[in-house]
Structure formats: C-alpha cells, structure tokens
C-alpha cells in the first residue's frame, strides 16, 4: 500500500515591522483552512514565520532584539494555530526565534503532530551572515549576532507513517544537512527560508541567480538522498527589503513536483508517496553498498579549507 | 592578475569492442590538435578513454577482462598521446583501467603536466553497479566485478597556478567527493564519465532524466564548493548500448559556462578564471566560518542508512 502524505507548502508574503503576531497567525490559519479543503495531512510554513525577517535590522543592544523571540511555544499568540491544526487533524511545521529559559537564542523550527503535540525540534546549524554591523554590505544579515548555532544536530522523527527531518534556510545549501538525515533514512525534509533577492555582498547577483542556487541545492539534496523536500518561502517586500519566492515540493528524484508562483500568501498541496523514495535508496544511493567512509575523513576532521602548500 | 586556465573538454564518441587502442589514441590526438589551435592549457578526456565501456560485458573468467587494462602508463600505445601533449605544452587528464604490478585493478585517471610528467593519480572510489551477472537488469554494469574501490582518497594537486582535483563518473553524484576536495581548496575538478542513457534497473528512466541528474550533481558540486568542474563524456552507441553526452564546463557559481552538443568526438575550450572561485569561498561557502563539523559525525561514522526504530 502506498504511503501517501498530502503536504501543504504554505508560503507567507511579506511581514512588516509593524505587523503583530496576531495578524500573522490569522494569515497562517487562513492558509491552513485552505490546505484543509485540499485534504492536507501536514502544513509547512517558512523560517521565522511569526515576524519580519528581523536579522536585517541592527540592534546595537542585542537585548532589544528579544522582542522578536518566543519564550514559550505555544504561547498565547500561537495557541490558536495549534488549536486549529488539531481541529483539522493536520500536522504542521513552522519556524520561529526561540529564547530559552536559560537565555539562549536559536533560529528554530518545530514538528507538530496531528494531535497538536510538538514531536520534533530543530535549531538552525548553518547561520549565514555576520555578527557586527558591516558597512561593506548593501544591507545587514545579522543571524550570527542574534542566534547561536543549533545544538540539536539533524535528527529525524517518525510521523504520519514516514521519517521526517527539518532544516532551515541556509542549511539547504550544505550537502551535509541532507546527508546526515539521509543516513537516518529520511523520507521528507521540510524547510522554510527567508532569502533576500539580492546578494548583500554582490549587487549584480540578482534574483534569477539566487532562485537557481535555491533550486539547485534543494533538488540535489533530494536526489542524492532519495527524499522528498518541501521548501517554503517567506517572500515579497518587507519594509523595502525584497525576499524571493520559489516555494516548491521536490520529489525523491530531484524533480520539482509542485511550485508556487508569486510572492504572496499562498499554498500548494501535493500528494507525496513516501515509497517513491525506495528506488533511489535501494539502487544508486544504496549507501551501504556504495559509500566509502574511509575516504571522507576530512569532512568531519576539518572545518575550514586548507589548500596544499 | 587573473589566473586563466584554458580548458578543453574533449568528448569521445563511441568506441566499439573491435576498436584497438591505436585508433582511439589517434582520435584523442586529433582532438588535442584542435584544442591546441584554441590555445588550450589543459585537455580533459573521459573515463576509460582508451577502450569501449567494457563493464557492460560479463566475463565469467575475470582474468579475461585484463585485456581492457593498462599495465604501464604511458605504454607503447599511449606514449604518442604523451608526446603530442608535451609537444603542444598542454597538460592533460584521462581515464583508463589500471592493472598494477601487484595485480590490483582500478578505474583510474591521471593528471599530466605540460612537461608530460604524471603529477597526479586518482582511483575511482564510488563504483556503481554489481559484481555478479544480474538477470534482473536490462544490461550489465559490472564495475564492482572488475575494479576495487580506489585507495588514494580525493587528493588535490597544484598545477597551472591552481589547485586541481579529479573524480570519475559516478563519483560526481556524491557530495562527499566534491567536499573532500573543497576542504583542500580545490579550484578545478576534472572528471570523465561513461553513462548509459537508460537506467538498467528502471527502463522508463530515459536520457532526459539522466542528463538532468548529471547536470544537477555537477552543478551543485561546483556551486557548493565554489570550484570549476569539467565533466567529459564518452557518448553515443557502443555495440548497441547507448551512452549519453552532456560534456560541459561548470563555473564556480554552478552555471554551465560551456556545453558540447551531440555524441561524437568533439572539443569545447573555455577560459576559466580560477580567481572566480574566490567570491564563493570567501562568503557563503567560507567553510571556516560556517561549517559545523560537530553535527556531521554520521557522515564518517556510518556507511549505510539506519532509519529510526
């Protein structure tokens, strides 16, 4: 019997500095209701879904940035989202800025089952950008200022009859991300992102190039690990800063199964057969037969590149 | 000053069982002469360039397959290739089946400098296919029968003012291949391949899908390590078995800089600026700043996938 998971990729349009969480949650619920009419089992929202992409703003006093963080999940503003998902019997995943009781800051996503229980948590490992105000950049990207690198690795979870993993935004450009989950038999990776349409360090690199890099990384990760990947954007113009779209569902052969046009709130639903991962996992990417870990040592021994003398 | 290397990707059309090495070497020399008129510094030929793609043929007695292997390099039949390259002042790389004095068999490629000295050797690590005759397949792919996995890792070499690496065919589908070289600062990866146009285990997977997977893997490897990649096919119909083309030169942003149409002998030359690798290596793929090896452990600890209980 085929293991079909109907996944909704729920893109969010821009969230302005002035928008409060209640208004964003209302938009997320509207997308969820739409996904429910299409029978979705799981809905996936973007990275930092509840607020504007605040790492573009420099707070000299870091503590000021705590306004963007959630101290509890669910909290009063997000509880309605959990309630509605449970009402629909829909699993969900979304990203948010997490402030722990110990005062630690992470760029986090969660996996919530159909009963509304948080069954998985992931904290973003590959933080792009920089820590201090950078006068060389066209705009700031201060993820390394506001977040610590994730401390939970790349776990996977059994849910909806399959094996699920998460990553966030820049993680999708790193083949290690998918491979660590692939080595745990992942069948669907869900990820959200906020990706500026322009490279802050190279103005001539425009959106078509950046969409190409996005698709290239996600499609390669899917193919090379024979897994579904659901990639969901926050898109459009946030207070004068443009984020690209490109929300898509990629099949275990690396092909785009469904793609959402535009940069507004919107949802695409696709019926993903988790058994479609088997052919790749049992043939060309049967890791047990083909990987040669004795030659991969540098990947875990060395962080930076060291050219030969 | 820009570091420009003019690279010739020299695709070979089919080589039949009946074709002897002298005839193949003559074809390779013709391509080299053409590359020389375009000022090439380096010419790259396919995997197993000197013979038909013999792993499709089952020799019950493995020793019979030794006819396809080279016991010395250069040998009498390949010496003219080395002589001509030295005459042109052109570096080169090509693949061949290597039989060592100790009786070991490898799918090998070499890097030869402008003076005709073999400065680098690589032995294919990711051997696809199978060891015994497989009645389930549309045709055989017996690389695991005729070769041992390479034992030299993925080294890099300084040549022509840059850092060069090699891999072979199926290696290009494995992100570990590029990453191990990327961690050594590779600026150009050269690779040859013989890729059947049809999946021997899934007849409906046709050439357009397989070309997509080829490009996807190579372009992702280039982008994610900010390196040039030169990928060269043996193509066309060998004794009734079709190999796909897709010879191309990919830039350090993952874009195809030059591509050779068709499936015949042919050459494309592209002036590759090795300094174009710097932007990627110093920003988004500055490994030292962004990689988190503490979370990559499974990549080297575990060969096969182990799904959660």
């Amino acid at each position: 019997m085929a293991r079909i998971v109907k996944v909704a990729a729920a893109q969010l349009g821009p969230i302005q500095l002035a928008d409060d969480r209640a208004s964003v949650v209302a938009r997320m619920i509207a997308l969820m209701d739409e996904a429910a009419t299409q029978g979705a089992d799981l809905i996936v929202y973007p990275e930092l879904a509840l607020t504007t992409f605040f790492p573009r703003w420099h707070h000299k006093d870091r503590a000021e940035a705590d306004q963007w963080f959630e101290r509890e999940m669910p909290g009063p503003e997000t509880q309605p989202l959990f309630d509605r998902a449970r009402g629909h019997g829909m699993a969900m995943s979304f990203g948010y800025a997490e402030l722990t009781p110990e005062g630690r800051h992470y760029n986090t996503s969660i996996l919530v089952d159909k009963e509304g229980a948080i069954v998985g948590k992931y904290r973003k490992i590959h933080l792009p950008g920089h820590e201090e105000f950078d006068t060389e950049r066209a705009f700031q990207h201060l993820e390394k200022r506001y977040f610590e690198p994730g401390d939970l690795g790349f776990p996977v979870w059994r849910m909806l009859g399959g094996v699920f993993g998460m990553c966030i935004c820049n993680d999708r450009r790193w083949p290690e991300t998918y491979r660590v989950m692939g080595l745990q038999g992942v069948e669907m990776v869900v990820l959200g992102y906020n990706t500026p349409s322009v490279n802050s360090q190279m103005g001539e690199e425009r959106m078509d190039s950046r969409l190409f890099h996005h698709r290239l990384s996600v499609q390669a990760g899917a193919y090379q690990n024979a897994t579904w990947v659901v990639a969901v954007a926050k898109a459009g113009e946030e207070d004068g800063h443009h984020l690209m779209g490109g929300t898509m569902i990629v099949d275990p052969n690396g092909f785009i199964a469904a793609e959402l046009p535009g940069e507004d709130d919107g949802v695409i639903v696709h019926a993903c057969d988790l058994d479609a991962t088997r052919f790749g996992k049992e043939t060309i990417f049967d890791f047990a037969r083909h990987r040669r870990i004795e030659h991969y040592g540098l990947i875990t021994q060395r962080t930076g590149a060291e050219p030969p003398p």
Side-chain angles (χ1 to χ4, degrees), chain A:
Chain A
M1 207 185 89
R3 291 181 296 141
I4 305 292
V5 174
K6 289 188 91 169
V7 176
Q11 177 171 291
L12 288 170
I15 300 174
Q16 311 305 331
L17 277 165
D19 293 341
D20 65 10
R21 283 166 177 73
S23 69
V24 177
V25 168
R27 289 162 57 185
M28 293 170 76
I29 286 175
L31 292 174
M32 188 185 286
D33 291 347
E34 190 180 333
T37 67
Q38 297 182 54
D41 301 300
L42 166 65
I43 188 166
V44 182
Y45 298 101
E47 172 191 35
L48 299 173
L50 305 171
T51 66
T52 195
F53 186 67
F54 65 84
R56 73 168 70 90
W57 303 111
H58 181 253
H59 293 282
K60 197 169 171 185
D61 175 4
R62 287 184 196 204
E64 275 179 24
D66 283 354
Q67 65 185 291
W68 307 112
F69 284 75
E70 312 303 313
R71 286 181 167 77
E72 46 182 349
M73 185 56 61
E77 290 136 325
T78 44
Q79 186 64 52
L81 195 58
F82 282 70
D83 294 343
R84 187 68 66 104
R86 197 177 55 246
H88 285 307
M90 198 184 301
M92 71 173 167
S93 179
F94 66 87
Y96 63 97
E98 177 190 14
L99 177 51
T100 74
E102 300 76 29
R104 313 200 74 145
H105 298 76
Y106 298 105
N107 187 339
T108 295
S109 63
I110 49 172
L111 196 60
V112 181
D113 71 13
K114 289 187 170 200
E115 286 73 44
I118 296 176
V119 293
K121 180 180 276 191
Y122 169 73
R123 291 168 171 160
K124 185 174 181 178
I125 285 173
H126 298 101
L127 297 171
H130 51 110
E131 202 163 335
E132 300 299 336
F133 192 88
D134 182 351
T135 55
E136 304 281 305
R137 289 179 188 247
F139 50 91
Q140 303 299 298
H141 198 115
L142 291 156
E143 288 195 55
K144 286 196 196 290
R145 180 176 187 82
Y146 298 129
F147 303 113
E148 296 177 60
D151 61 345
L152 301 174
F154 293 102
V156 300
W157 299 271
R158 285 205 175 271
M159 196 180 77
L160 301 173
V163 181
F164 289 76
M166 292 185 276
C167 67
I168 300 176
C169 196
N170 182 47
D171 286 320
R172 75 195 187 286
R173 304 184 194 276
W174 297 82
E176 291 89 346
T177 296
Y178 306 94
R179 187 61 103 223
V180 171
M181 291 189 269
L183 285 164
Q184 299 169 83
V186 76
E187 296 174 320
M188 184 176 286
V189 175
V190 302
L191 72 96
Y193 59 92
N194 286 255
T195 301
S197 308
V198 179
N199 189 323
S200 65
Q201 296 172 286
M202 188 190 266
E204 65 267 35
E205 185 188 294
R206 309 302 294 200
M207 194 160 75
D208 57 345
S209 289
R210 292 171 70 76
L211 279 167
F212 165 74
H213 288 147
H214 157 64
R215 294 189 188 109
L216 178 65
S217 298
V218 171
Q219 293 181 265
Y223 167 60
Q224 293 172 337
N225 296 279
T227 181
W228 291 91
V229 183
V230 181
V232 183
K234 180 140 64 69
E237 190 101 354
E238 292 189 340
D239 298 293
H241 293 269
H242 193 264
L243 300 170
M244 69 186 205
T247 292
M248 63 181 179
I249 298 171
V250 176
D251 78 20
N253 281 310
F255 290 97
I256 297 173
E259 195 163 20
L260 187 74
E263 298 172 348
D264 298 324
D265 288 10
V267 67
I268 40 169
V269 177
H270 187 80
C272 302
D273 180 359
L274 300 184
D275 286 331
T277 64
R278 290 184 54 190
F279 181 75
K281 289 184 192 298
E282 292 173 359
T283 61
I284 195 165
F285 296 114
D286 179 348
F287 295 163
R289 281 206 303 143
H290 301 308
R291 293 181 80 245
R292 308 296 316 186
I293 59 175
E294 66 273 29
H295 297 300
Y296 303 159
L298 286 187
I299 294 172
T300 48
Q301 285 160 20
R302 182 181 283 184
T303 300
E306 296 176 23

